[in-house]
Structure formats: structure tokens, C-alpha cells
């Protein structure tokens, strides 16, 4: 699942990669929320490729696992326009 990331890290030692996503519709319907996650170089076993395929309970469990996993860094920002 992380083939491109591993290739980039091999080509550029010390490179840090973050996955980024956003949700919201901006000033027309409220805030925009964005998050970035950096996984450790040795990876993280993600059991899914799309969080929308998970139930609310499964999403909460995965979020808790990410927040407590060593080497995982998470940043969240909210913009009110």
C-alpha cells in the first residue's frame, strides 16, 4: 500500500511524507477542517484504504490507535472564513 512512499524515501533519505485531507465546504456552509498524518518509516498497519468504508465505531478505534501509536504525528486545523 505504501509502495510510492517507500520509493520516495529510498530516493531521498530523510524525506518526511504526510498524508493530507480536508472536509467542509468553506464559508458557504461552515468551517473547513484539514488534517495531516505522518506515519513512521517502518509503516503502520492500516486495515482499510477508505475511512468511509468503516462504521463510526471502527473509525473511532482506528483514530485511537493512530493517536497512541509510536512515531505517528497528527496535525488538525480548522478555518472559519
Amino acid at each position: 500500500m505504501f509502495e510510492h512512499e517507500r520509493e520516495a524515501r529510498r530516493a531521498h533519505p530523510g524525506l518526511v511524507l504526510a498524508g493530507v485531507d480536508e472536509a467542509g465546504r468553506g464559508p458557504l456552509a461552515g468551517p473547513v477542517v484539514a488534517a495531516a498524518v505522518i506515519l513512521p518509516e517502518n509503516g503502520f498497519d492500516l486495515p482499510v484504504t477508505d475511512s468511509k468504508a468503516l462504521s463510526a465505531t471502527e473509525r473511532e478505534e482506528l483514530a485511537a490507535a493512530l493517536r497512541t501509536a509510536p512515531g505517528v504525528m497528527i496535525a488538525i486545523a480548522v478555518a472559519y472564513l
Side-chain angles (χ1 to χ4, degrees):
M1 185 168 146
F2 296 102
E3 180 181 334
H4 297 292
E5 289 84 352
R6 286 188 191 104
E7 184 178 319
R9 283 181 167 152
R10 278 192 299 273
H12 306 281
L15 180 69
V16 176
L17 299 168
V20 180
D21 200 3
E22 54 74 32
R25 297 182 186 265
L28 296 177
V32 174
V33 179
V37 177
I38 299 173
L39 299 176
E41 281 192 47
N42 61 351
F44 185 86
D45 185 25
L46 295 172
V48 67
T49 57
D50 184 354
S51 64
K52 293 175 186 83
L54 299 174
S55 69
T57 300
E58 290 169 325
R59 274 193 303 277
E60 287 297 322
E61 290 171 355
L62 180 56
L66 282 168
R67 284 193 299 271
T68 59
V72 174
M73 292 177 266
I74 300 170
I76 299 171
V78 180
Y80 298 92
L81 302 174

